[in-house]
Amino acid sequence: MRLTQTLYRTSMRYMIKRAWKFRGVPAMPNVVQHKFLREEGIEVENTMAEKEPLKWNPPVPDDPSIRWFFPKKKEDAKNWQENPLHVFNSGTKLTEALDQIRVLTKSQIIDGIPKNIESLMDAESMPDENLLVQRLIMQAHVWDTTYEQLPRRFNPRVPRWHFKSEKGIPFDKIPKLLLRNLVQLCSSLSHKYPEILMDRTLTRDHYTNSLLTMAGKPVMVNETLPFLLSSSKDLPIFADQETVDATVNVNLPDLDPLSPLLDVLKTHTYDPIESTGWKLASALNIPHTLFTTYTDYMTQEKWLSTDFWTSEQHVAQAVMFAFGRAVARAKAKYGANVTNLPEPVTVQGIKTDGEKFHFVCFQLNTLNINSNDGIKNLVWIDKDNYLFHKILPRRAMLRNTIYEDFDPSVFRKFLAFFLNGLHIEQ
């Protein structure tokens, strides 16, 4: 018989039978007594039935060498609180995405970016701008000297193909490198705008938590930002008072019978203390732009995973982080018990996986978010902006990845977000 590709092919019938044999439904216990056992008066015991565990007592109760560790109760924890707290962090994925975030933050969503930021897209330019951005992309994705063991790849479209073990840049580090490079490129305009050096600062791994009430229940928004761009003054408002007053007639989505806090986990162990992330007093502690990255890196590399996130869910998380940072700023500016803000508080946010960018602008108009009446908060969303397309090889190694379709307009938006708040002559 000639050896052909058909004979080399794996038998799916054999694999299915083997999987059913070792991973199928376990056999049910046979509790039927046989005839000869009944005649002998022997009872067959069901070993699969649940039994009460036997209690063992030490032979010498007072022996000091016999010590047993009993785990402490949850109620005995140091930070145990009787009332549960909902915690929203980087692992919280909202099922209803944008509709759910609208109810939680009492917001109206506007597609696109605000007009004042859009006008800054063509306000400044750099020599060889496109070439510099392309080099920064390659530095983050290919040229960085980090050389670590990567998770073994898996392509669901070719399930029988086994990829080789590879080393390179970790997937969670790529977007952070790209963000740092783009911020440094934008900061090169400091020779023309000295405010960038005097009134701006970029902090890394910035942690903040804000405590507020959502849907009538306490919620803590915990966030550890890869980068936070802060300033010495607040950002200008995105919408005038007339636009804010018009939000009174906006209706929020109806999620019944679901709770808006459906996907937000509860905990009894917490410390109800808010933090802005600044240990020492600083004049540059006003949030300007929040930079966040993806946490589902398997999805980032275009591999299917059981914890798949959609673009709307990534944007919803970015909106919640911007909302929590705006609330912390409002309490620091107007007091911890403020409800009606004298002036709106604005915060920007950018989320990326190293290839795709989401832009968020949040304007906090009110902290009375437990009622559907009155004015609403405003949020501008511009999602799914591909700076370029990263095409992974189907079977080959990662070194054969293709980078194409560079879009310079995405960096123009990034630069406009960075320049917002500076005195720029149009």
mmCIF file of all heavy atoms in Angstrom, residues 40-74:
data_model
loop_
_atom_site.group_PDB
_atom_site.id
_atom_site.type_symbol
_atom_site.label_atom_id
_atom_site.label_comp_id
_atom_site.label_asym_id
_atom_site.label_seq_id
_atom_site.Cartn_x
_atom_site.Cartn_y
_atom_site.Cartn_z
ATOM 1 N N GLU A 40 -26.909 -14.964 50.343
ATOM 2 C CA GLU A 40 -25.957 -15.043 51.448
ATOM 3 C C GLU A 40 -26.211 -13.981 52.516
ATOM 4 O O GLU A 40 -25.531 -13.976 53.545
ATOM 5 C CB GLU A 40 -24.533 -14.898 50.909
ATOM 6 C CG GLU A 40 -24.096 -16.010 49.978
ATOM 7 C CD GLU A 40 -23.970 -17.330 50.721
ATOM 8 O OE1 GLU A 40 -23.738 -17.288 51.955
ATOM 9 O OE2 GLU A 40 -24.100 -18.386 50.078
ATOM 10 N N GLY A 41 -27.187 -13.089 52.266
ATOM 11 C CA GLY A 41 -27.469 -12.035 53.237
ATOM 12 C C GLY A 41 -26.458 -10.910 53.247
ATOM 13 O O GLY A 41 -26.322 -10.202 54.248
ATOM 14 N N ILE A 42 -25.740 -10.727 52.115
ATOM 15 C CA ILE A 42 -24.729 -9.662 52.012
ATOM 16 C C ILE A 42 -25.348 -8.470 51.285
ATOM 17 O O ILE A 42 -25.926 -8.615 50.204
ATOM 18 C CB ILE A 42 -23.477 -10.164 51.263
ATOM 19 C CG1 ILE A 42 -22.879 -11.368 51.992
ATOM 20 C CG2 ILE A 42 -22.456 -9.042 51.131
ATOM 21 C CD1 ILE A 42 -21.720 -11.997 51.255
ATOM 22 N N GLU A 43 -25.239 -7.292 51.892
ATOM 23 C CA GLU A 43 -25.780 -6.075 51.295
ATOM 24 C C GLU A 43 -24.676 -5.351 50.521
ATOM 25 O O GLU A 43 -23.559 -5.204 50.997
ATOM 26 C CB GLU A 43 -26.366 -5.161 52.365
ATOM 27 C CG GLU A 43 -27.556 -5.753 53.089
ATOM 28 C CD GLU A 43 -28.136 -4.785 54.096
ATOM 29 O OE1 GLU A 43 -27.583 -3.654 54.195
ATOM 30 O OE2 GLU A 43 -29.116 -5.147 54.769
ATOM 31 N N VAL A 44 -25.034 -4.907 49.324
ATOM 32 C CA VAL A 44 -24.096 -4.136 48.492
ATOM 33 C C VAL A 44 -24.243 -2.655 48.836
ATOM 34 O O VAL A 44 -25.339 -2.100 48.770
ATOM 35 C CB VAL A 44 -24.365 -4.378 47.003
ATOM 36 C CG1 VAL A 44 -23.415 -3.528 46.153
ATOM 37 C CG2 VAL A 44 -24.189 -5.850 46.674
ATOM 38 N N GLU A 45 -23.152 -2.030 49.175
ATOM 39 C CA GLU A 45 -23.173 -0.634 49.592
ATOM 40 C C GLU A 45 -22.840 0.274 48.414
ATOM 41 O O GLU A 45 -21.935 -0.025 47.617
ATOM 42 C CB GLU A 45 -22.159 -0.407 50.713
ATOM 43 C CG GLU A 45 -22.191 1.007 51.276
ATOM 44 C CD GLU A 45 -21.186 1.161 52.402
ATOM 45 O OE1 GLU A 45 -20.517 0.163 52.756
ATOM 46 O OE2 GLU A 45 -21.067 2.287 52.916
ATOM 47 N N ASN A 46 -23.567 1.360 48.301
ATOM 48 C CA ASN A 46 -23.324 2.339 47.244
ATOM 49 C C ASN A 46 -22.164 3.237 47.653
ATOM 50 O O ASN A 46 -22.304 4.106 48.515
ATOM 51 C CB ASN A 46 -24.596 3.160 47.001
ATOM 52 C CG ASN A 46 -24.416 4.154 45.862
ATOM 53 O OD1 ASN A 46 -23.429 4.110 45.138
ATOM 54 N ND2 ASN A 46 -25.386 5.036 45.694
ATOM 55 N N THR A 47 -21.029 3.003 47.061
ATOM 56 C CA THR A 47 -19.840 3.775 47.435
ATOM 57 C C THR A 47 -19.877 5.205 46.910
ATOM 58 O O THR A 47 -19.075 6.033 47.347
ATOM 59 C CB THR A 47 -18.583 3.084 46.891
ATOM 60 O OG1 THR A 47 -18.702 2.959 45.469
ATOM 61 C CG2 THR A 47 -18.430 1.700 47.496
ATOM 62 N N MET A 48 -20.776 5.510 45.947
ATOM 63 C CA MET A 48 -20.851 6.856 45.406
ATOM 64 C C MET A 48 -21.725 7.776 46.239
ATOM 65 O O MET A 48 -21.761 8.980 46.011
ATOM 66 C CB MET A 48 -21.400 6.802 43.975
ATOM 67 C CG MET A 48 -20.568 5.955 43.019
ATOM 68 S SD MET A 48 -18.917 6.636 42.776
ATOM 69 C CE MET A 48 -19.322 8.140 41.902
ATOM 70 N N ALA A 49 -22.469 7.199 47.181
ATOM 71 C CA ALA A 49 -23.350 8.028 48.007
ATOM 72 C C ALA A 49 -22.526 8.859 48.978
ATOM 73 O O ALA A 49 -21.447 8.450 49.429
ATOM 74 C CB ALA A 49 -24.343 7.154 48.758
ATOM 75 N N GLU A 50 -23.045 10.039 49.283
ATOM 76 C CA GLU A 50 -22.354 10.930 50.213
ATOM 77 C C GLU A 50 -22.472 10.402 51.632
ATOM 78 O O GLU A 50 -23.539 9.975 52.070
ATOM 79 C CB GLU A 50 -22.938 12.348 50.118
ATOM 80 C CG GLU A 50 -22.725 13.006 48.763
ATOM 81 C CD GLU A 50 -23.260 14.423 48.749
ATOM 82 O OE1 GLU A 50 -23.767 14.856 49.801
ATOM 83 O OE2 GLU A 50 -23.152 15.081 47.699
ATOM 84 N N LYS A 51 -21.364 10.416 52.329
ATOM 85 C CA LYS A 51 -21.336 9.942 53.703
ATOM 86 C C LYS A 51 -20.847 11.058 54.612
ATOM 87 O O LYS A 51 -20.096 11.939 54.201
ATOM 88 C CB LYS A 51 -20.404 8.744 53.841
ATOM 89 C CG LYS A 51 -20.881 7.485 53.121
ATOM 90 C CD LYS A 51 -19.921 6.351 53.394
ATOM 91 C CE LYS A 51 -20.394 5.077 52.727
ATOM 92 N NZ LYS A 51 -19.465 3.935 52.988
ATOM 93 N N GLU A 52 -21.262 10.966 55.815
ATOM 94 C CA GLU A 52 -20.785 11.921 56.804
ATOM 95 C C GLU A 52 -19.363 11.536 57.199
ATOM 96 O O GLU A 52 -19.104 10.385 57.577
ATOM 97 C CB GLU A 52 -21.694 11.910 58.020
ATOM 98 C CG GLU A 52 -21.305 12.946 59.064
ATOM 99 C CD GLU A 52 -22.271 12.937 60.234
ATOM 100 O OE1 GLU A 52 -23.260 12.190 60.176
ATOM 101 O OE2 GLU A 52 -22.006 13.664 61.204
ATOM 102 N N PRO A 53 -18.415 12.443 57.095
ATOM 103 C CA PRO A 53 -17.028 12.086 57.413
ATOM 104 C C PRO A 53 -16.866 11.670 58.864
ATOM 105 O O PRO A 53 -17.519 12.218 59.768
ATOM 106 C CB PRO A 53 -16.259 13.367 57.092
ATOM 107 C CG PRO A 53 -17.277 14.461 57.193
ATOM 108 C CD PRO A 53 -18.567 13.861 56.743
ATOM 109 N N LEU A 54 -16.009 10.691 59.057
ATOM 110 C CA LEU A 54 -15.751 10.219 60.410
ATOM 111 C C LEU A 54 -14.940 11.251 61.185
ATOM 112 O O LEU A 54 -14.014 11.871 60.658
ATOM 113 C CB LEU A 54 -14.989 8.884 60.352
ATOM 114 C CG LEU A 54 -15.724 7.715 59.678
ATOM 115 C CD1 LEU A 54 -14.835 6.490 59.634
ATOM 116 C CD2 LEU A 54 -17.032 7.413 60.404
ATOM 117 N N LYS A 55 -15.319 11.451 62.399
ATOM 118 C CA LYS A 55 -14.622 12.396 63.265
ATOM 119 C C LYS A 55 -13.531 11.659 64.011
ATOM 120 O O LYS A 55 -13.786 10.656 64.698
ATOM 121 C CB LYS A 55 -15.602 13.043 64.234
ATOM 122 C CG LYS A 55 -14.961 14.124 65.088
ATOM 123 C CD LYS A 55 -15.984 14.784 65.986
ATOM 124 C CE LYS A 55 -15.341 15.880 66.818
ATOM 125 N NZ LYS A 55 -16.324 16.519 67.730
ATOM 126 N N TRP A 56 -12.317 12.125 63.857
ATOM 127 C CA TRP A 56 -11.180 11.472 64.490
ATOM 128 C C TRP A 56 -10.755 12.239 65.721
ATOM 129 O O TRP A 56 -10.614 13.458 65.702
ATOM 130 C CB TRP A 56 -10.025 11.388 63.499
ATOM 131 C CG TRP A 56 -8.797 10.731 64.063
ATOM 132 C CD1 TRP A 56 -8.546 9.411 64.166
ATOM 133 C CD2 TRP A 56 -7.656 11.397 64.619
ATOM 134 N NE1 TRP A 56 -7.332 9.176 64.736
ATOM 135 C CE2 TRP A 56 -6.756 10.392 65.031
ATOM 136 C CE3 TRP A 56 -7.321 12.733 64.814
ATOM 137 C CZ2 TRP A 56 -5.535 10.693 65.626
ATOM 138 C CZ3 TRP A 56 -6.111 13.041 65.398
ATOM 139 C CH2 TRP A 56 -5.226 12.017 65.793
ATOM 140 N N ASN A 57 -10.570 11.529 66.791
ATOM 141 C CA ASN A 57 -10.103 12.125 68.034
ATOM 142 C C ASN A 57 -8.695 11.625 68.317
ATOM 143 O O ASN A 57 -8.411 10.415 68.190
ATOM 144 C CB ASN A 57 -11.018 11.744 69.198
ATOM 145 C CG ASN A 57 -12.409 12.327 69.028
ATOM 146 O OD1 ASN A 57 -12.565 13.458 68.577
ATOM 147 N ND2 ASN A 57 -13.429 11.537 69.363
ATOM 148 N N PRO A 58 -7.775 12.523 68.647
ATOM 149 C CA PRO A 58 -6.402 12.080 68.935
ATOM 150 C C PRO A 58 -6.369 11.145 70.129
ATOM 151 O O PRO A 58 -7.159 11.283 71.071
ATOM 152 C CB PRO A 58 -5.666 13.402 69.202
ATOM 153 C CG PRO A 58 -6.735 14.350 69.613
ATOM 154 C CD PRO A 58 -7.954 13.962 68.853
ATOM 155 N N PRO A 59 -5.464 10.179 70.093
ATOM 156 C CA PRO A 59 -5.408 9.235 71.224
ATOM 157 C C PRO A 59 -5.016 9.897 72.530
ATOM 158 O O PRO A 59 -5.438 9.474 73.593
ATOM 159 C CB PRO A 59 -4.362 8.215 70.759
ATOM 160 C CG PRO A 59 -3.539 8.939 69.740
ATOM 161 C CD PRO A 59 -4.480 9.880 69.064
ATOM 162 N N VAL A 60 -4.167 10.938 72.450
ATOM 163 C CA VAL A 60 -3.745 11.664 73.658
ATOM 164 C C VAL A 60 -4.200 13.099 73.506
ATOM 165 O O VAL A 60 -3.537 13.903 72.849
ATOM 166 C CB VAL A 60 -2.218 11.578 73.861
ATOM 167 C CG1 VAL A 60 -1.818 12.244 75.170
ATOM 168 C CG2 VAL A 60 -1.753 10.135 73.821
ATOM 169 N N PRO A 61 -5.362 13.478 74.072
ATOM 170 C CA PRO A 61 -5.895 14.834 73.838
ATOM 171 C C PRO A 61 -4.962 15.945 74.291
ATOM 172 O O PRO A 61 -4.922 17.020 73.700
ATOM 173 C CB PRO A 61 -7.197 14.829 74.637
ATOM 174 C CG PRO A 61 -7.548 13.383 74.799
ATOM 175 C CD PRO A 61 -6.258 12.655 74.887
ATOM 176 N N ASP A 62 -4.191 15.689 75.360
ATOM 177 C CA ASP A 62 -3.348 16.752 75.922
ATOM 178 C C ASP A 62 -1.929 16.723 75.375
ATOM 179 O O ASP A 62 -1.052 17.396 75.901
ATOM 180 C CB ASP A 62 -3.309 16.636 77.446
ATOM 181 C CG ASP A 62 -4.678 16.827 78.062
ATOM 182 O OD1 ASP A 62 -5.493 17.537 77.421
ATOM 183 O OD2 ASP A 62 -4.940 16.284 79.144
ATOM 184 N N ASP A 63 -1.682 15.963 74.336
ATOM 185 C CA ASP A 63 -0.342 15.874 73.772
ATOM 186 C C ASP A 63 0.002 17.169 73.041
ATOM 187 O O ASP A 63 -0.662 17.532 72.064
ATOM 188 C CB ASP A 63 -0.262 14.692 72.810
ATOM 189 C CG ASP A 63 1.175 14.430 72.381
ATOM 190 O OD1 ASP A 63 2.062 15.246 72.725
ATOM 191 O OD2 ASP A 63 1.411 13.426 71.702
ATOM 192 N N PRO A 64 1.013 17.934 73.474
ATOM 193 C CA PRO A 64 1.320 19.218 72.809
ATOM 194 C C PRO A 64 1.855 19.052 71.389
ATOM 195 O O PRO A 64 1.861 19.997 70.617
ATOM 196 C CB PRO A 64 2.376 19.841 73.719
ATOM 197 C CG PRO A 64 3.007 18.673 74.408
ATOM 198 C CD PRO A 64 1.918 17.652 74.591
ATOM 199 N N SER A 65 2.297 17.857 71.029
ATOM 200 C CA SER A 65 2.808 17.663 69.670
ATOM 201 C C SER A 65 1.698 17.556 68.641
ATOM 202 O O SER A 65 1.978 17.562 67.442
ATOM 203 C CB SER A 65 3.677 16.399 69.625
ATOM 204 O OG SER A 65 2.887 15.255 69.940
ATOM 205 N N ILE A 66 0.449 17.383 69.099
ATOM 206 C CA ILE A 66 -0.672 17.269 68.171
ATOM 207 C C ILE A 66 -1.353 18.627 68.087
ATOM 208 O O ILE A 66 -2.005 19.066 69.034
ATOM 209 C CB ILE A 66 -1.666 16.182 68.629
ATOM 210 C CG1 ILE A 66 -0.956 14.824 68.722
ATOM 211 C CG2 ILE A 66 -2.845 16.091 67.673
ATOM 212 C CD1 ILE A 66 -1.833 13.713 69.233
ATOM 213 N N ARG A 67 -1.152 19.324 67.008
ATOM 214 C CA ARG A 67 -1.756 20.643 66.785
ATOM 215 C C ARG A 67 -2.443 20.616 65.435
ATOM 216 O O ARG A 67 -1.845 20.191 64.439
ATOM 217 C CB ARG A 67 -0.703 21.754 66.799
ATOM 218 C CG ARG A 67 0.040 21.867 68.114
ATOM 219 C CD ARG A 67 -0.871 22.265 69.250
ATOM 220 N NE ARG A 67 -0.141 22.473 70.480
ATOM 221 C CZ ARG A 67 -0.612 22.206 71.678
ATOM 222 N NH1 ARG A 67 -1.810 21.666 71.787
ATOM 223 N NH2 ARG A 67 0.105 22.449 72.742
ATOM 224 N N TRP A 68 -3.676 21.099 65.386
ATOM 225 C CA TRP A 68 -4.438 21.125 64.140
ATOM 226 C C TRP A 68 -4.778 22.572 63.823
ATOM 227 O O TRP A 68 -5.201 23.330 64.694
ATOM 228 C CB TRP A 68 -5.715 20.299 64.247
ATOM 229 C CG TRP A 68 -5.438 18.843 64.445
ATOM 230 C CD1 TRP A 68 -5.388 18.160 65.607
ATOM 231 C CD2 TRP A 68 -5.128 17.908 63.418
ATOM 232 N NE1 TRP A 68 -5.078 16.849 65.398
ATOM 233 C CE2 TRP A 68 -4.912 16.662 64.050
ATOM 234 C CE3 TRP A 68 -5.008 17.991 62.029
ATOM 235 C CZ2 TRP A 68 -4.588 15.526 63.344
ATOM 236 C CZ3 TRP A 68 -4.691 16.852 61.323
ATOM 237 C CH2 TRP A 68 -4.478 15.635 61.971
ATOM 238 N N PHE A 69 -4.559 22.925 62.558
ATOM 239 C CA PHE A 69 -4.848 24.295 62.104
ATOM 240 C C PHE A 69 -6.283 24.375 61.616
ATOM 241 O O PHE A 69 -6.707 23.606 60.754
ATOM 242 C CB PHE A 69 -3.907 24.700 60.972
ATOM 243 C CG PHE A 69 -4.282 26.012 60.333
ATOM 244 C CD1 PHE A 69 -4.020 27.207 60.968
ATOM 245 C CD2 PHE A 69 -4.913 26.039 59.093
ATOM 246 C CE1 PHE A 69 -4.364 28.405 60.376
ATOM 247 C CE2 PHE A 69 -5.262 27.226 58.504
ATOM 248 C CZ PHE A 69 -4.989 28.422 59.150
ATOM 249 N N PHE A 70 -7.040 25.283 62.207
ATOM 250 C CA PHE A 70 -8.403 25.526 61.776
ATOM 251 C C PHE A 70 -8.441 26.880 61.065
ATOM 252 O O PHE A 70 -8.052 27.901 61.650
ATOM 253 C CB PHE A 70 -9.366 25.542 62.971
ATOM 254 C CG PHE A 70 -9.422 24.218 63.690
ATOM 255 C CD1 PHE A 70 -8.630 23.975 64.808
ATOM 256 C CD2 PHE A 70 -10.249 23.219 63.225
ATOM 257 C CE1 PHE A 70 -8.681 22.757 65.452
ATOM 258 C CE2 PHE A 70 -10.308 21.997 63.871
ATOM 259 C CZ PHE A 70 -9.522 21.754 64.992
ATOM 260 N N PRO A 71 -8.856 26.917 59.787
ATOM 261 C CA PRO A 71 -8.860 28.195 59.063
ATOM 262 C C PRO A 71 -9.786 29.202 59.734
ATOM 263 O O PRO A 71 -10.843 28.860 60.267
ATOM 264 C CB PRO A 71 -9.361 27.803 57.669
ATOM 265 C CG PRO A 71 -10.086 26.516 57.867
ATOM 266 C CD PRO A 71 -9.407 25.815 58.991
ATOM 267 N N LYS A 72 -9.373 30.462 59.663
ATOM 268 C CA LYS A 72 -10.179 31.522 60.260
ATOM 269 C C LYS A 72 -11.444 31.764 59.445
ATOM 270 O O LYS A 72 -11.472 31.556 58.239
ATOM 271 C CB LYS A 72 -9.363 32.816 60.330
ATOM 272 C CG LYS A 72 -8.159 32.732 61.257
ATOM 273 C CD LYS A 72 -7.451 34.071 61.320
ATOM 274 C CE LYS A 72 -6.261 34.008 62.266
ATOM 275 N NZ LYS A 72 -5.560 35.318 62.342
ATOM 276 N N LYS A 73 -12.442 32.211 60.091
ATOM 277 C CA LYS A 73 -13.684 32.555 59.414
ATOM 278 C C LYS A 73 -13.505 33.873 58.651
ATOM 279 O O LYS A 73 -12.673 34.707 59.009
ATOM 280 C CB LYS A 73 -14.821 32.681 60.422
ATOM 281 C CG LYS A 73 -15.125 31.401 61.182
ATOM 282 C CD LYS A 73 -16.274 31.616 62.146
ATOM 283 C CE LYS A 73 -16.584 30.331 62.915
ATOM 284 N NZ LYS A 73 -17.692 30.527 63.886
ATOM 285 N N LYS A 74 -14.304 34.036 57.621
ATOM 286 C CA LYS A 74 -14.227 35.273 56.857
ATOM 287 C C LYS A 74 -14.585 36.481 57.715
ATOM 288 O O LYS A 74 -14.064 37.576 57.505
ATOM 289 C CB LYS A 74 -15.159 35.193 55.653
ATOM 290 C CG LYS A 74 -14.783 34.120 54.648
ATOM 291 C CD LYS A 74 -15.743 34.108 53.472
ATOM 292 C CE LYS A 74 -15.351 33.041 52.462
ATOM 293 N NZ LYS A 74 -16.282 33.009 51.308
#
